[in-house]
Amino acid sequence: GALGDFTEVPSTCTGKASESPILTSLDGCARACDNDVHECTAFSYFPAGEGTDGLCFLMSKLLTIQYYTGCSETPAKLFQCYAKLSKYESTSIAPDGSGKCENCLKEAKKADRCV
């Protein structure tokens, strides 16, 4: 699939915002996306440190994703892009620049660095 071997490395994504950014935990970010049933299809989470809320961006459409393969820490301690399974489980999000595939990413990049 489009995610290939990159599901276990940190990632960032861009997309159309479904809400304003919020400060919350990773679980809180996931719940906010779940609660935004008709709009949120994915979110990007940036933790702020142990015991501190991180920054959560809810998206109504994923546009791009970038994977960082040079990081030594696990994604949970860094940053990650998450897609709502119920919105993507039976479709491909493989990059398609033609514009004919509504759910496809415009671009997926691999970066051999950590941010």
Side-chain angles (χ1 to χ4, degrees), residues 8-10 70-78 114:
E8 298 300 318
V9 298
C71 299
S72 58
E73 292 190 60
T74 61
K77 292 184 179 172
L78 294 171
C114 191

Side-chain angles (χ1 to χ4, degrees), residues 16-71:
K16 294 182 180 175
S18 67
E19 300 288 338
S20 296
I22 55 175
L23 288 173
T24 187
S25 65
L26 176 58
D27 286 343
C29 192
R31 276 194 302 278
C33 188
D34 282 345
N35 290 339
D36 190 6
V37 175
H38 299 293
E39 290 288 320
C40 187
T41 63
F43 65 90
S44 201
Y45 184 74
F46 298 85
E50 194 75 30
T52 305
D53 285 341
L55 195 53
C56 171
F57 296 91
L58 302 178
M59 290 172 252
S60 61
K61 181 171 178 57
L62 276 176
L63 296 175
T64 67
I65 190 161
Q66 183 151 347
Y67 303 97
Y68 298 90
T69 59
C71 299

Side-chain angles (χ1 to χ4, degrees), residues 101-114:
C101 176
E102 189 173 324
N103 286 328
C104 290
L105 294 168
K106 302 288 182 231
E107 182 177 65
K109 286 185 181 177
K110 175 184 169 191
D112 292 322
R113 58 186 168 80
C114 191

